[in-house]
Amino acid sequence: MNKRLITGIITATACGYLLWHYLTPVEIVAVHDGNTLLVKHFPFFKSQQIAWWESNKSLIKKKYGIPHKDRNGYYTVYILDFGEGYRREQGTDGDANLLCFDDMTVMARCIDKRPLMSLGSAPNAVMYYD
């Protein structure tokens, strides 16, 4: 009886978390370097990530100017997990896992490298999602 109860609680908790994550909208926290979006609550599955991009790309273009094509017509957009937020470089080997943004003047200008998705396009080519 106790094993069933514990299994039921664990299953209900896991399902609740997945449902919460699925229903929580993606939040764009910051934009850097004209091609990098820092987000929270990004979908788990690639199909949902692509669907999110397709349904929001015009809004992102209008609000942030992303994607921005270079003079040859190429563009790449990087979407990274904002995680625990910005932090400072420590000057140690642990900084190798940090991505720092030169467009910020404050000391806490780095995030942990957690890429979620990249996408891009080129003239006469199919858009790619990675």
Side-chain angles (χ1 to χ4, degrees):
M1 180 70 173
N2 286 336
K3 288 181 182 181
R4 281 187 171 173
L5 179 62
I6 291 171
T7 302
I9 290 172
I10 291 171
T11 302
T13 303
C15 289
Y17 173 77
L18 291 174
L19 184 63
W20 169 79
H21 197 305
Y22 181 76
L23 295 176
T24 303
V26 175
E27 176 186 354
I28 299 174
V29 178
V31 176
H32 292 283
D33 303 329
N35 66 351
T36 304
L37 297 172
L38 304 181
V39 299
K40 289 184 176 182
H41 313 294
F42 205 62
F44 285 123
F45 301 110
K46 186 63 71 180
S47 61
Q48 292 174 333
Q49 293 173 353
I50 293 169
W52 175 82
W53 172 258
E54 290 298 326
S55 65
N56 289 285
K57 66 182 175 183
S58 60
L59 174 71
I60 293 169
K61 176 69 174 172
K62 183 178 178 182
K63 190 170 182 179
Y64 303 109
I66 294 176
H68 173 70
K69 293 182 180 180
D70 67 13
R71 64 178 185 190
N72 296 320
Y74 295 88
Y75 71 83
T76 303
V77 176
Y78 303 99
I79 301 174
L80 290 96
D81 184 20
F82 189 63
E84 300 299 317
Y86 293 110
R87 36 185 280 202
R88 297 173 60 166
E89 290 179 279
Q90 300 298 317
T92 64
D93 290 341
D95 289 348
N97 293 326
L98 295 180
L99 176 63
C100 299
F101 299 104
D102 294 331
D103 60 347
M104 295 179 69
T105 57
V106 296
M107 294 297 291
R109 61 184 184 87
C110 305
I111 62 166
D112 290 320
K113 290 180 191 174
R114 286 191 222 134
L116 298 170
M117 184 172 113
S118 64
L119 55 104
S121 182
N124 302 320
V126 176
M127 184 158 184
Y128 72 87
Y129 297 94
D130 187 23

